[in-house]
Amino acid sequence: MSEKTNEFLKNRLSEEDYRKLLAIDKPEMHEFVADYIELCNPDGIFVATDSPDDIRYVREAAIRNGEEDRLTIREHTIHFDGYYDQARDKARTKFLVRSGVDLGPNLNTIDKEKGEREIREILKDIMSGHELYVRFFCLGPVNSEFSIPCVQLTDSAYVAHSEDLLYRRGYEEFKHRGRSARFFKFVHSAGELDERMVSKNIDKRRIYIDCEGAIVYSVNTQYGGNTIGLKKPAMRLAIHRAQKEGWLNEHMLVVAVHGPNNRKTFFTGAFPSLCGKTSTAMIPEESIVGDDISYIRKRGDKAYAVNVEAGIFGIIMGINSKDDPITWEALHSPNEIIFSNVLVTEDKGVYWIGKDGKMPRKGINHSGEWTPGKRDAEGNEITPSHKNARFTTALKDLKNADPRLHDPDGVELSGVIYGGRDSDTCVPVLEAFDWTHGIITKGASLESETTAATLGKEGVRKFNPMSNLDFLSVPIGKYIDMNLKFGSSMKKPPRIFGVNYFLKDEGGNFTNEKTDKKVWLKWMELRVHDEVGAIKTPTGYIPRYEDLKKLFREVLNKDYSRDDYVKQFTIRVPENLAKIDRIKKIYETTVANTPPVLFEVLKGERERLVKAREKYGDYITPDRWEGER
Ligand code: SPV
Ligand code: MN
């Protein structure tokens, strides 16, 4: 660190905070902290170590500053984001790129110099009147080849507090890595706040990402998906790094499926928002490693996965005691939980859409005082809680947390699951023929129908490769290629599965119950150990009726009828062909550098479907394949 920086930090920090910062031997980090203190100009600065006292200080600051409020249950708090700050702002999330760098038409970019100038102008003096929190965390387990140390600067104690619940502590990690630390940097300011303590200048909301500089700026916003540096902002930086180094950063849960004789088999799974991702990770009687983001690396000839996070920032809408017993119990226990954008009742209880019990007649929510029928400035009725309202909690407080959660070696990955909201095409579960077939037809071809939780028309299919589209920082074609290479070089790569929890019959009714996903997981577990057979169809291997019947009985104590099986596992040729054509067109017209094998594999799938149609017709019931196993 230069003498000038040293003098500056000495002047601006308390003796204690200066000592804490300098205990880390990383001049580059000191320069970074000094630069943004000078630019953002906070009234006070607090440097937090991993000590319980420092963590408590931040937690209490969130209450002191009015960003969070206490609720009836001890350790529960409520935080509100502004009415128009309830989700990730894709339009104002941009990559800073030098001229000549082309990330393709699907990624939002801005010229690096122009973007930096703009963001520095917005950040100038933005923290005056506020306290700045300097926090150290670690992505992935500490002390591991997966670890990425991070420094977060934020003037929001809510953001810093959320990160305490969601990530591993990183001060000691920085200390022991010292000069060798390759760290990520995050600068966040909620900006000017109104009387409700929510960001006021949302027209100046920006999330700017500089992959080369390993820094993300987030400003004039509070919503976690925009502001919690280690969550979605870090994902873009990590995907960029992973691409260079040959590992994967996926938008994936990690779950341990419990097989026969106490065997545990680990799966990762990618699903777009509101498609059953957290509920798959939280399935009763299995155990959870993570619900949102994973790093996957190869060691020897095996793949290992870790949860990048240590907590859940989960959607609360629809959580009820019957379908989500573990989450329900956790939400009613005296563990530390931050509720965001739910309804707070007079007695400081909380209510959300779909919660057990009656809807309260009044309360405070993300729109202020609320009564049923209230409308916003656009005339839309305001729901009691926002559809994207969330709860934030540490995984250690869940009774189904897997003991391997913090294993620095990661867990051996046996299977990868891709799922989307698909009302009419794919069967509920099937296994790809091999890694390449799976990456292309299940991952790279992932589509999902829009829901009421996203703006715009419902039921519109959106292309979302690996459910990772919103977070890609490298061109799609290159990202797909990296995924292909990752498994192709392994003798026995993880098996790949596609699931669809949302298939409907001709009458528009779901063909499955919510709880059926438990059976699919058990079937996949048996498949990866080659303990159950399957039927070969043009799109992959589907389960046999007798195996599912047995599993439905064992797992759900349910009678599984042949009629249900036929309805669910009929291959719908016209819909599958239409999907192939849609995906092919997207890769032909909007993606540069698509690996040629993608087109070959789609062509092969098309030919198999056409051939099968000639023999069996448009809708092919599973018994037709009996002779073709
Ligand atoms: C998602 O939308 O995929 C989330 C929530 O996990 S957010 O943090 O907003 O990205
Ligand atoms: Mn996510």
Side-chain angles (χ1 to χ4, degrees):
M1 162 179 51
S2 70
E3 196 42 48
K4 194 168 146 255
T5 304
N6 191 22
E7 276 308 305
F8 175 82
L9 289 172
K10 232 185 211 160
N11 284 333
R12 288 296 293 255
L13 300 179
S14 72
E15 218 174 286
E16 173 72 0
D17 288 324
Y18 175 77
R19 189 191 55 74
K20 289 179 191 169
L21 199 68
L22 271 284
I24 297 170
D25 180 21
K26 187 71 182 171
E28 188 191 336
M29 183 273 289
H30 301 143
E31 299 282 357
F32 164 73
V33 173
D35 186 13
Y36 288 92
I37 290 176
E38 187 169 15
L39 181 65
C40 304
N41 198 19
D43 277 13
I45 300 159
F46 182 74
V47 177
T49 66
D50 298 345
S51 79
D53 280 353
D54 284 6
I55 289 163
R56 192 172 322 113
Y57 178 90
V58 170
R59 173 170 155 67
E60 283 168 6
I63 305 276
R64 213 167 39 240
N65 299 349
E67 290 183 85
E68 290 176 34
D69 212 349
R70 289 202 168 86
L71 294 167
T72 315
I73 300 184
R74 201 167 51 87
E75 310 288 339
H76 288 194
T77 57
I78 169 74
H79 162 82
F80 290 116
D81 300 305
Y83 189 76
Y84 297 100
D85 190 23
Q86 295 283 324
R88 275 186 278 112
D89 184 346
K90 293 191 214 176
R92 295 195 186 93
T93 300
K94 294 181 184 169
F95 292 98
L96 302 176
V97 292
R98 290 181 196 283
S99 64
V101 175
D102 183 9
L103 297 180
N106 301 288
L107 277 67
N108 228 348
T109 58
I110 180 169
D111 173 72
K112 190 165 156 73
E113 264 177 44
K114 186 172 162 221
E116 269 174 0
R117 214 177 312 122
E118 185 191 0
I119 202 81
R120 287 187 80 90
E121 238 161 66
I122 299 177
L123 285 172
K124 184 147 182 39
D125 294 327
I126 200 167
M127 294 184 187
S128 100
H130 295 167
E131 185 172 30
L132 164 68
Y133 307 95
V134 181
R135 302 296 318 264
F136 302 94
F137 295 103
C138 185
L139 291 166
V142 294
N143 213 354
S144 119
E145 68 169 331
F146 293 96
S147 320
I148 302 179
C150 296
V151 53
Q152 168 87 60
L153 309 183
T154 177
D155 61 4
S156 165
Y158 158 71
V159 167
H161 177 207
S162 299
E163 288 179 330
D164 271 326
L165 297 175
L166 293 172
Y167 301 96
R168 286 110 177 166
R169 319 250 176 272
Y171 182 76
E172 292 304 321
E173 184 76 17
F174 259 97
K175 259 171 73 178
H176 94 246
R177 286 191 185 243
R179 297 205 175 210
S180 71
R182 294 169 59 226
F183 63 106
F184 288 167
K185 297 163 280 214
F186 304 101
V187 181
H188 166 253
S189 172
E192 211 182 320
L193 303 174
D194 69 10
E195 61 290 348
R196 300 196 64 222
M197 296 304 289
V198 301
S199 298
K200 210 167 153 179
N201 304 320
I202 49 169
D203 56 318
K204 289 216 167 102
R205 178 164 60 202
R206 299 286 183 275
I207 298 101
Y208 280 2
I209 302 146
D210 173 7
C211 289
E212 270 177 39
I215 179 166
V216 181
Y217 310 90
S218 164
V219 58
N220 290 312
T221 169
Q222 287 167 308
Y223 172 70
N226 296 325
T227 59
I228 297 172
L230 280 86
K231 201 170 184 64
K232 296 304 165 34
M235 231 174 131
R236 281 92 171 202
L237 300 181
I239 288 175
H240 179 85
R241 188 187 274 190
Q243 185 79 12
K244 288 192 167 161
E245 298 178 352
W247 49 277
L248 301 176
N249 178 2
E250 296 303 306
H251 191 207
M252 285 180 175
L253 61 87
V254 187
V255 66
V257 181
H258 298 212
N261 305 316
N262 298 322
R263 178 175 67 201
K264 274 197 207 172
T265 308
F266 292 92
F267 287 81
T268 56
F271 297 76
S273 281
L274 260 175
C275 291
K277 189 172 171 193
T278 301
S279 64
T280 302
M282 291 289 287
I283 278 194
E285 285 137 56
E286 315 298 0
S287 42
I288 179 171
V289 178
D291 86 320
D292 198 28
I293 309 171
S294 59
Y295 292 161
I296 306 173
R297 281 176 178 269
K298 246 180 312 192
R299 206 179 311 125
D301 197 44
K302 292 192 168 136
Y304 293 85
V306 294
N307 181 7
V308 169
E309 310 183 281
I312 296 186
F313 177 58
I315 290 183
I316 202 162
M317 179 170 74
I319 288 181
N320 63 71
S321 58
K322 184 176 150 278
D323 295 327
D324 315 277
I326 305 168
T327 315
W328 180 264
E329 193 187 318
L331 292 178
H332 290 82
S333 64
N335 298 321
E336 202 172 335
I337 297 174
I338 308 171
F339 291 87
S340 48
N341 308 312
V342 298
L343 183 75
V344 177
T345 53
E346 262 175 331
D347 58 356
K348 298 271 179 197
V350 291
Y351 179 81
W352 57 83
I353 303 168
K355 186 182 180 182
D356 299 27
K358 279 225 296 273
M359 183 176 82
R361 307 305 298 166
K362 64 178 191 179
I364 308 279
N365 73 1
H366 56 294
S367 73
E369 279 183 29
W370 177 88
T371 48
K374 182 176 177 184
R375 287 180 186 274
D376 65 15
E378 290 78 37
N380 301 313
E381 185 159 347
I382 301 171
T383 48
S385 62
H386 193 273
K387 286 171 178 160
N388 196 25
R390 293 186 175 249
F391 64 97
T392 303
T393 190
L395 276 163
K396 69 170 172 43
D397 291 332
L398 297 179
K399 67 173 190 202
N400 59 334
D402 192 85
R404 303 272 304 274
L405 170 62
H406 299 299
D407 192 330
D409 292 333
V411 294
E412 188 183 325
L413 183 59
S414 298
V416 174
I417 307 167
Y418 293 103
R421 190 174 284 263
D422 162 13
S423 58
D424 62 8
T425 308
C426 299
V427 297
V429 62
L430 87 172
E431 184 187 338
F433 299 127
D434 54 39
W435 179 266
T436 302
H437 178 248
I439 289 294
I440 290 168
T441 65
K442 314 291 175 255
S445 302
L446 199 77
E447 294 176 302
S448 200
E449 289 155 21
T450 51
T451 64
T454 53
L455 298 177
K457 216 169 140 226
E458 281 184 46
V460 180
R461 280 194 186 88
K462 286 255 163 83
F463 167 67
N464 191 352
M466 282 77 172
S467 114
N468 215 355
L469 184 62
D470 288 355
F471 314 111
L472 292 187
S473 49
V474 297
I476 297 177
K478 286 194 175 160
Y479 166 72
I480 305 282
D481 198 41
M482 184 64 230
N483 266 269
L484 288 168
K485 285 193 179 117
F486 186 86
S488 310
S489 61
M490 298 169 74
K491 276 204 272 318
K492 276 185 75 179
R495 308 270 273 262
I496 298 185
F497 298 87
V499 298
N500 178 16
Y501 303 154
F502 302 93
L503 186 69
K504 291 183 177 173
D505 61 21
E506 304 94 66
N509 302 308
F510 286 116
T511 59
N512 291 95
E513 308 250 353
K514 257 176 145 181
T515 44
D516 293 354
K517 55 170 90 74
K518 198 164 173 178
V519 172
W520 312 149
L521 282 180
K522 295 292 195 202
W523 180 78
M524 292 186 259
E525 203 275 341
L526 295 173
R527 279 297 293 168
V528 304
H529 295 285
D530 295 318
E531 288 175 11
V532 73
I535 303 169
K536 194 170 181 182
T537 77
T539 54
Y541 298 104
I542 62 170
R544 299 182 302 200
Y545 172 65
E546 53 278 20
D547 298 322
L548 288 185
K549 186 175 169 63
K550 189 163 166 264
L551 283 172
F552 266 94
R553 175 58 65 202
E554 279 169 16
V555 175
L556 298 173
N557 196 23
K558 241 167 81 171
D559 189 31
Y560 184 59
S561 73
R562 193 173 270 278
D563 277 357
D564 276 346
Y565 172 70
V566 169
K567 210 192 295 175
Q568 293 160 12
F569 288 93
T570 288
I571 300 293
R572 305 176 181 200
V573 177
E575 285 83 354
N576 272 285
L577 289 175
K579 176 175 167 132
I580 292 172
D581 294 344
R582 279 194 303 273
I583 299 298
K584 181 168 167 266
K585 190 159 168 224
I586 290 171
Y587 280 98
E588 273 169 353
T589 57
T590 73
V591 177
N593 303 316
T594 300
V597 65
L598 182 136
F599 297 112
E600 285 160 34
V601 168
L602 291 183
K603 187 164 167 262
E605 185 118 319
R606 174 166 245 294
E607 281 166 6
R608 284 190 300 276
L609 282 160
V610 168
K611 220 166 117 203
R613 180 172 61 183
E614 280 161 14
K615 213 160 150 193
Y616 304 120
D618 275 344
Y619 294 91
I620 311 175
T621 55
D623 52 293
R624 297 290 205 169
W625 313 109
E626 297 283 329
E628 307 203 353
R629 277 177 197 206

